[in-house]
Amino acid sequence: MPAFFNGIFGHKPTGGLIPNTLQWPPVQNEIQRYCCPGPLARHAEDLMPLLRILAGPDGKDSLCINVELGDPLQVDLRKLKVLDVITNDHNFVSKVDSELQDATRA
């Protein structure tokens, strides 16, 4: 969501897909699975090519694994299950603009 709030697209990959080498702040052990870098791009269609460049072991991050990335065009979107959380009603989180909530429901 932070990328979206800034007018760009972002993808948070599965932990271990992209090396955490030189990530700031540095992380160690199992937390690496949750604090992982990912691509940012102006256009959504640019995310997959960037992910292919960034993914895979670098010889330094021992938790990074080599994973074969499939073709996103082969995914049947009708078969995906989506969890749609429009708002979480917590006071410590910024409220989602009503215009965005309406667009999500449409």
Side-chain angles (χ1 to χ4, degrees):
M1 291 303 285
F4 174 74
F5 292 150
N6 290 287
I8 60 174
F9 293 87
H11 174 69
K12 183 181 186 304
T14 300
L17 185 62
I18 295 176
N20 281 327
T21 307
L22 301 178
Q23 175 177 300
W24 188 260
V27 293
Q28 298 176 354
N29 303 322
E30 289 300 310
I31 195 70
Q32 285 184 268
R33 299 180 120 190
Y34 306 104
C35 296
C36 54
L40 299 171
R42 181 176 288 177
H43 304 283
E45 58 267 18
D46 294 332
L47 292 173
M48 190 61 178
L50 288 169
L51 183 62
R52 290 187 189 284
I53 291 168
L54 297 170
D58 65 352
K60 296 178 183 175
D61 181 349
S62 62
L63 295 181
C64 186
I65 58 173
N66 196 15
V67 175
E68 183 177 340
L69 300 173
D71 181 357
L73 296 177
Q74 299 301 314
V75 175
D76 185 350
L77 298 178
R78 295 169 294 188
K79 293 183 178 179
L80 293 180
K81 293 182 180 179
V82 177
L83 174 62
D84 186 9
V85 180
I86 295 177
T87 183
N88 61 12
D89 295 324
H90 290 292
N91 291 330
F92 59 90
V93 178
S94 299
K95 297 284 185 199
V96 176
D97 186 83
S98 60
E99 187 176 331
L100 286 175
Q101 290 184 35
D102 293 343
T104 301
R105 289 186 189 103

